Amino acid sequence: MRASPGEKLFYVFNYVLLSVVGISCLLPMVHLLALSFSDQPAVLSGHVSLWPVGWNIESYKLLFKGTRILPAFGNSLVITIIGTLLSIAFTVLAAYPLSKRYFVGRKLYTLLLIFTMLFSAGLIPNYLLVKTLGMVNTYWSLWLPGLISVYNTLVLKTFFENIPSELDEAARMDGCSEWQLIARIYLPLALPALATLILFYAVGYWNMFQNVLIYINSPDKQNLTVIVQQMIMNSMLQVDQFLRPEESIQITPESIKSSGIIVMIVPMLLVYPFVQKHFVKGVMIGSVKG
């Protein structure tokens, strides 16, 4: 069936709109990348746009040598990996029973979860709770208070509900327990949804900023986001003690700040292509009814 002229115009408009939005999001990152690889005169004179001028990697060398970027990068990895594993595990454990019609109190617990999306205690009660539990200045203060996203739990719950009940009944007839049913039936079938939720959780933990400022007091435990923010806010970076005179004329604070931002966003850009195929698979599975 051929598309009508109106439909073709609609498709062209959508493509143009998406292209404009994509380019507007991409250009600032390309500009930062160009700044991070440009030399000092080009950066100071404002001649750097979308392509590096006077290629050099001195800003990256000084970033890793003269700042706390590497320890902060390691802290971000620890926060993200462990936090994502804990969150996805408990999200599965919450979504699975809520997807079962025979679960007693299913509607009540679902309403209680939704209630937490609408109302929260606020910053001060949360801090007092974390302090009373002795979790201040530990990563548990970042993991436990927001361990489960209610939205993600409801998404996974809906995905579990769409799995045919015949698979459930056949597995039980073969002697599968609840744990075996989750591990052998539900988790493999829910892999596209899990991959999506893992990416959501990972991005959230990687970009965590406010909770780190509130609960983490030790500079040695701060993550990459906080360190880069401090670099951006400080007009003069504290790297002069690491510089030789010939190095100081090759870099600018702007190039080091740009390098820090690039180091912060590149890991998520590298992870996304490996998860994208599961997004496509999830769309295809969701389009098949039976």
Side-chain angles (χ1 to χ4, degrees):
M1 183 176 179
R2 302 181 63 180
S4 63
E7 291 177 338
K8 292 181 180 179
L9 181 62
F10 177 75
Y11 294 147
V12 171
F13 175 77
N14 282 339
Y15 290 145
V16 172
L17 180 62
L18 290 176
S19 300
V20 172
V21 172
I23 293 174
S24 63
C25 294
L26 184 63
L27 288 181
M29 188 180 68
V30 175
H31 177 64
L32 288 175
L33 189 64
L35 283 177
S36 67
F37 284 107
S38 299
D39 57 14
Q40 185 188 46
V43 174
L44 293 178
S45 60
H47 290 161
V48 181
S49 56
L50 301 179
W51 190 257
V53 178
W55 279 82
N56 71 76
I57 58 173
E58 293 300 322
S59 59
Y60 287 95
K61 290 181 180 179
L62 297 175
L63 177 71
F64 293 124
K65 184 175 67 172
T67 67
R68 292 184 288 113
I69 200 80
L70 281 180
F73 189 89
N75 295 337
S76 292
L77 286 179
V78 172
I79 294 171
T80 302
I81 293 174
I82 298 180
T84 302
L85 292 177
L86 289 173
S87 293
I88 201 66
F90 281 90
T91 300
V92 171
L93 295 178
Y96 176 76
L98 292 177
S99 66
K100 299 300 180 182
R101 297 184 182 275
Y102 57 79
F103 177 60
V104 179
R106 172 173 176 258
K107 292 185 179 180
L108 175 62
Y109 287 116
T110 303
L111 289 175
L112 291 176
L113 284 176
I114 296 176
F115 180 84
T116 63
M117 296 179 63
L118 304 176
F119 303 96
S120 62
L123 178 60
I124 295 178
N126 285 333
Y127 180 83
L128 293 177
L129 175 62
V130 171
K131 184 178 180 181
T132 303
L133 295 176
M135 295 189 301
V136 173
N137 205 32
T138 68
Y139 289 152
W140 290 107
S141 62
L142 309 179
W143 296 328
L144 290 185
L147 185 61
I148 293 178
S149 167
V150 178
Y151 176 80
N152 292 344
T153 303
L154 295 178
V155 169
L156 190 58
K157 166 183 171 292
T158 304
F159 196 97
F160 284 159
E161 289 175 342
N162 291 331
I163 294 178
S165 59
E166 292 79 7
L167 293 176
D168 193 313
E169 296 171 359
R172 293 183 187 278
M173 291 180 62
D174 290 337
C176 280
S177 63
E178 293 290 346
W179 292 106
Q180 291 174 331
L181 195 62
I182 295 175
R184 298 182 180 181
I185 303 298
Y186 280 82
L187 291 185
L189 291 176
L191 185 60
L194 291 176
T196 304
L197 299 187
I198 287 174
L199 182 64
F200 288 165
Y201 279 125
V203 171
Y205 281 114
W206 184 264
N207 294 329
M208 186 173 288
F209 176 72
Q210 182 177 357
N211 287 353
V212 178
L213 287 179
I214 295 173
Y215 299 125
I216 303 300
N217 302 325
S218 175
D220 296 334
K221 295 183 178 180
Q222 291 177 339
N223 63 347
L224 190 60
T225 308
V226 173
I227 297 300
V228 171
Q229 187 269 344
Q230 292 175 353
M231 292 170 53
I232 295 174
M233 295 300 295
N234 293 334
S235 58
M236 296 299 294
L237 297 175
Q238 297 179 354
V239 296
D240 294 339
Q241 57 180 326
F242 299 95
L243 299 181
R244 296 190 300 270
E246 61 272 15
E247 292 177 330
S248 61
I249 62 175
Q250 299 179 14
I251 58 96
T252 61
E254 287 74 16
S255 60
I256 296 183
K257 294 174 185 178
S258 302
S259 303
I261 297 173
I262 295 298
V263 170
M264 183 180 67
I265 64 178
V266 161
M268 290 295 104
L269 295 179
L270 295 178
V271 169
Y272 179 77
F274 296 98
V275 187
Q276 183 183 15
K277 60 181 180 181
H278 296 294
F279 292 163
V280 178
K281 185 178 179 181
V283 172
M284 297 301 295
I285 291 177
S287 63
V288 178
K289 304 297 182 181

